[in-house]
Amino acid sequence: MNLKKAGFSTRAIHAGERTEETGSVTTPIFQTAPFEFKNAAHAARVMGGKEKGYIYSRGLNPTTEVLEEKIANLEYGEAALAQTTGMAAISAAVFSKIKANDHVIADEVLYGNTYDLFVDLKNFGVNVSFIDTTYPENVENAFMKNTKLVFFETPANPTMKLTDIHAVSDIAHDRNAEVFVDNTFMTPYFQQPLLHSADVVVHSATKYLNGHGDTLGGLIISNSEFIKKARHTSKNVGGAISPFNSWLILRGMKTLPIRMDRHNENAMAVAKFLKMNERIDKVIYPGLADNPQYDLARKQMSGFGGMIAFTLKEKADVSVFLDSLKLCTLAVSLGETATLIQHPATMTHAVVPKEERIRYGITDELIRLSVGIEDVSDIIGDLEQALDKTG
Ligand code: LCS
């Protein structure tokens, strides 16, 4: 069957899968570090890149390769590289693109460690401007002669603001720079940045792609030439994922479409509930029709996902509310079956200096909710009883 033309769910299950050698119905876990060469001449051909072959799992592993082929298919890329964490994927992608004396434009709202990575780049002679990429004109104005890369998340962690992938890609390409998009929150089920002209997509596969909160993982998707460079970087930096973790993510990805539909449906109901509650000031969910970026959401996303940001009216209510929850789990991470809730200012974004994070909208009153796939009445019931304890 031509999987390129098959529907998303069929591709999520079958793309890349390689079972023909043994008849195994699921992809086996090749839990090995090295691979045996047939003979010295074979070793010379494989080591010299004249023949494809497995050498050592830091570079290529058959189980991980299936994961790479599956995500490349789903994101409409030519190739992909799997890494041990989302941060390993982001750093391998960035290190494969930029060098000393380059300039990078990054959105000011990024997952805390991604932000911190870009701050640290100055130690390597790379100049980074943090701006609000929500407004494409800001990106245009931030360009310098040596700008090589524009990096953003859409929706952004944790404020849920969106960036117009197509508009920013057009601006960057006119100026000889590339656009990297972190697609963790949407997954390829709801958003395919490469189809909106982005050059590279990165993921924390720890989140929705794996979906069960039991492994870390990261992915880079792009054209074959870029992935070749990234694989070279990864071999030197050493970010290879373990075959077992690749297998867990592969297993998770097979149910991605049905999980995402449920996350989306539950989050919409929860966002509508939160909007009506008097203890709450603002609810930011791209699927709410009065969200200022609703039109952009509809243009570049086919669903709105499971992530919601909201602010309580009173800062003092934050800890009372969080401590009163019984079903929603107080934990970082996101995108798993269970509903997770956290306080960005003291948790995921504690590394961002206070003044900056407040300027970016990561205030002390902001709460981030990763709506799970439990019965939505139970999620809402738990939020309601905890909100009732505040004030
Ligand atoms: N990109 C985004 C958008 C993320 O949310 C995260 C992690 C990463 C990249 C890094 O991925 P990792 O290395 O953890 O696989 N976000 C987390 C969060 O919001 N809470 O804990 C981790």
Side-chain angles (χ1 to χ4, degrees):
M1 181 180 182
N2 181 357
L3 277 178
K4 283 235 150 66
K5 293 208 173 118
F8 190 96
S9 297
T10 305
R11 290 183 287 124
I13 293 168
H14 294 287
E17 297 287 333
R18 214 179 287 168
T19 54
E20 62 280 1
E21 274 171 36
T22 57
S24 160
V25 172
T26 57
T27 293
I29 305 172
F30 288 88
Q31 192 70 29
T32 180
F35 296 84
E36 186 180 9
F37 297 119
K38 289 178 194 136
N39 51 46
H42 174 236
R45 288 197 304 278
V46 174
M47 293 300 299
K50 296 208 167 63
E51 185 180 318
K52 194 198 147 186
Y54 302 105
I55 301 167
Y56 190 57
S57 287
R58 177 154 36 78
L60 201 63
N61 171 282
T63 310
T64 298
E65 204 176 22
V66 173
L67 171 61
E68 293 169 344
E69 284 177 22
K70 194 184 290 291
I71 191 68
N73 177 303
L74 297 179
E75 284 283 12
Y76 297 97
E78 285 174 4
L81 174 72
Q83 294 281 277
T84 189
T85 64
M87 288 314 304
I90 292 169
S91 49
V94 170
F95 297 155
S96 302
K97 175 66 190 167
I98 52 149
K99 53 185 182 348
N101 302 318
D102 284 345
H103 173 243
V104 174
I105 297 172
D107 189 20
E108 60 196 17
V109 180
L110 294 168
Y111 166 59
N113 284 105
T114 308
Y115 178 84
D116 212 26
L117 170 74
F118 282 118
V119 169
D120 280 354
L121 285 180
K122 68 174 177 306
N123 300 332
F124 300 91
V126 177
N127 177 14
V128 180
S129 303
F130 292 100
I131 62 152
D132 184 0
T133 58
T134 297
Y135 303 95
E137 59 272 26
N138 289 353
V139 177
E140 217 162 355
N141 294 336
F143 256 87
M144 296 185 185
K145 277 208 178 72
N146 57 340
T147 307
K148 294 286 160 54
L149 170 63
V150 182
F151 187 103
F152 56 87
E153 300 166 356
T154 181
N157 184 356
T159 63
M160 297 301 294
K161 76 188 183 79
L162 311 183
T163 291
D164 186 329
I165 304 168
H166 216 301
V168 169
S169 298
D170 284 350
I171 292 167
H173 295 161
D174 279 351
R175 292 159 182 79
N176 235 350
E178 289 192 346
V179 171
F180 290 12
V181 178
D182 184 330
N183 199 28
T184 299
F185 275 28
M186 280 299 107
T187 82
Y189 186 59
F190 285 142
Q191 176 172 270
Q192 301 98 26
L194 298 180
L195 298 186
H196 295 285
S197 297
D199 301 283
V200 173
V201 172
V202 291
H203 278 282
S204 168
T206 316
K207 311 297 169 0
Y208 291 105
L209 293 175
N210 172 60
H212 296 74
D214 48 16
T215 182
L216 296 157
L219 295 162
I220 310 172
I221 308 97
S222 185
N223 56 48
S224 305
E225 194 191 337
F226 184 81
I227 294 301
K228 201 170 159 193
K229 276 194 220 160
R231 198 176 292 282
H232 173 86
T233 304
S234 163
K235 276 196 225 168
N236 292 349
V237 176
I241 187 169
S242 94
F244 180 61
N245 292 352
S246 290
W247 184 86
L248 285 172
I249 298 167
L250 273 174
R251 184 168 71 158
M253 282 173 71
K254 292 180 186 181
T255 55
L256 181 70
I258 53 172
R259 285 187 288 106
M260 290 312 288
D261 280 338
R262 181 68 170 262
H263 283 294
N264 189 57
E265 195 184 304
N266 281 2
M268 184 64 101
V270 171
K272 285 182 177 160
F273 159 77
L274 293 172
K275 252 191 108 60
M276 301 298 290
N277 192 285
E278 57 182 16
R279 311 299 306 168
I280 289 174
D281 183 21
K282 247 189 328 193
V283 179
I284 316 167
Y285 182 64
L288 292 174
D290 62 355
N291 182 302
Q293 295 189 292
Y294 182 66
D295 290 343
L296 176 58
R298 303 244 315 194
K299 188 180 100 175
Q300 67 186 19
M301 293 145 60
S302 56
F304 307 109
M307 299 301 297
I308 301 174
F310 61 96
T311 52
L312 291 178
K313 282 188 184 147
E314 301 297 332
K315 185 174 156 181
D317 284 347
V318 169
S319 54
V320 178
F321 168 65
L322 293 177
D323 291 349
S324 303
L325 290 161
K326 295 188 169 81
L327 175 71
C328 303
T329 306
L330 181 62
V332 296
S333 205
L334 58 105
E336 46 192 84
T337 51
T339 296
L340 303 182
I341 195 159
Q342 65 107 10
H343 181 231
T346 56
M347 299 174 195
T348 50
H349 291 70
V351 292
V352 183
K354 186 170 180 181
E355 262 179 37
E356 283 164 51
R357 75 168 162 73
I358 288 178
R359 190 151 26 95
Y360 305 155
I362 310 167
T363 60
D364 293 339
E365 294 79 14
L366 186 79
I367 290 173
R368 192 193 73 187
L369 184 63
S370 169
V371 180
I373 59 174
E374 302 99 332
D375 291 281
V376 73
S377 54
D378 291 328
I379 303 171
I380 290 174
D382 191 38
L383 292 167
E384 189 167 30
Q385 66 78 23
L387 284 163
D388 284 349
K389 304 260 163 49
T390 63

